[in-house]
Amino acid sequence: MTTTRDELNAALGLVEASLATEQEKRRLPGFSACVVLDQETTWAGGFGKANLETGAPATAESVYRIASITKPFTAIMLMQGRDAGLVSLDDPVEKLVPRFRLRHRSGVEYKPTYRQLASHTGGLPREAPFDYWTTMQGPTIEQVLDSLPQMELTFRPGTENKYSNLGYTLIGHAMELAFGQRYGDYVMEHIVRPLGMRHTDFQPQGETADLLAVGYAKSGTGYVPAPHLNDGDVAPGTRLYASVADIAELIKLQFRDAPTSGGTNVLSGVSVREMHAPVLMSADWSSGIS
């Protein structure tokens, strides 16, 4: 059964009305959203304000810190490294990062792989042992590597699921070593720009900075600007800024097999589908790469 354009427009009208209602009901300062259908951004817009002080409206081009949505970019970098023959997904990360050695609480030393770290099945703690969510100052990769002896695996890799920012920090570092290029520089050159993401960056500048929305935290009956994390070298799990108009381009990649008209596909359809394939399943959840 084929959906007509009139039916699609009617459905999109309901989505827009529902989001507007939520913004008003919850008294949210503002947010942006989009709807992607295969390779088309069928609707994108904003609700409320991107900046309460200036009154600037939230739009599809407003730029937000996308935090953990950075992880798919790190996973794409990993897949590009695999497709280039630099690593195998089932290589132990220790092969490139010899200092990455964690023992299980039983005393057994396991060797988590890229596939396990990318799918959050490596048994790693959620964070490196630093209080950066309070201090808002992230550690360097050397500090992270120095801290590894203080940690232990919480389960045998590949048997359970536990979300880990630390895992993505280590993937990003390993891929820097594999490609011989700084993580942020690589992602911008080989993923962000080829996808046509015009207002995505690790440090907003120029027009992207002009479009930056203020993040807010609840305070009493109102909102106050929230501090931004200076995340140091945990960037592979949390640093990027982007607009929903740009995120739509990342979403389109998930439905794409053939190269785009410009000849750039970032990943083959086979590699994209492999990222979507479950690595570990239980009755309640499944876990895949990114």
Side-chain angles (χ1 to χ4, degrees):
M1 179 175 163
T2 303
T3 301
T4 68
R5 177 55 66 172
D6 285 344
E7 290 171 327
L8 177 60
N9 289 339
L12 293 173
L14 290 175
V15 169
E16 187 171 3
S18 176
L19 292 173
T21 298
E22 286 298 305
Q23 188 265 327
E24 184 175 351
K25 182 172 68 175
R26 300 190 185 197
R27 298 180 179 178
L28 301 174
F31 63 88
S32 304
C34 70
V35 176
V36 173
L37 180 62
D38 192 12
Q39 299 305 297
E40 180 186 357
T41 303
T42 56
W43 175 85
F47 303 87
K49 305 297 182 183
N51 187 316
L52 293 176
E53 184 178 3
T54 66
T59 71
E61 300 293 340
S62 297
V63 173
Y64 302 85
R65 186 184 183 97
I66 62 173
S68 283
I69 301 175
T70 305
K71 290 181 174 68
F73 294 84
T74 305
I76 290 170
M77 184 179 182
L78 170 61
M79 296 302 289
Q80 289 178 335
R82 190 285 302 273
D83 291 350
L86 299 177
V87 297
S88 165
L89 293 182
D90 296 312
D91 280 345
V93 179
E94 181 186 325
K95 187 174 178 179
L96 266 180
V97 188
R99 293 171 66 187
F100 176 43
R101 304 180 70 179
L102 292 181
R103 289 189 179 274
H104 183 256
R105 60 186 62 177
S106 66
V108 177
E109 184 178 297
Y110 294 103
K111 299 180 184 297
T113 66
Y114 293 106
R115 190 187 304 272
Q116 290 165 344
L117 264 59
S119 60
H120 301 283
T121 60
L124 274 67
R126 180 184 176 97
E127 309 286 355
F130 300 94
D131 194 20
Y132 44 85
W133 294 113
T134 300
T135 65
M136 306 306 287
Q137 177 62 54
T140 66
I141 189 60
E142 284 302 314
Q143 290 174 318
V144 171
L145 294 174
D146 287 344
S147 74
L148 291 174
Q150 304 174 35
M151 295 179 273
E152 63 180 14
L153 296 174
T154 58
F155 54 80
R156 181 165 60 86
T159 63
E160 298 181 41
N161 170 281
K162 180 179 176 64
Y163 188 86
S164 177
N165 286 318
L166 172 62
Y168 269 79
T169 296
L170 293 167
I171 292 173
H173 176 56
M175 290 303 97
E176 284 186 326
L177 298 176
F179 284 106
Q181 186 174 6
R182 287 288 294 170
Y183 168 80
D185 294 339
Y186 180 94
V187 170
M188 292 299 296
E189 181 179 344
H190 296 279
I191 303 173
V192 170
R193 294 192 186 103
L195 285 176
M197 302 176 75
R198 299 184 302 112
H199 297 133
T200 298
D201 211 332
F202 288 92
Q203 185 60 52
Q205 51 193 319
E207 185 180 18
T208 299
D210 294 339
L211 294 168
L212 187 63
V214 177
Y216 291 98
K218 191 85 172 173
S219 177
T221 59
Y223 291 90
V224 295
H228 281 209
L229 172 67
N230 180 0
D231 44 21
D233 286 333
V234 301
T238 187
R239 183 180 293 177
L240 273 172
Y241 293 78
S243 66
V244 297
D246 276 8
I247 292 297
E249 301 307 316
L250 177 67
I251 295 171
K252 292 171 189 176
L253 175 66
Q254 313 310 310
F255 302 103
R256 189 157 68 228
D257 278 344
T260 60
S261 58
T264 300
N265 206 33
V266 179
L267 280 179
S268 69
V270 171
S271 292
V272 170
R273 288 192 294 274
E274 187 173 358
M275 289 178 69
H276 295 171
V279 171
L280 182 67
M281 298 185 69
S282 76
D284 300 320
W285 50 262
S286 66
S287 183
I289 295 174
S290 85

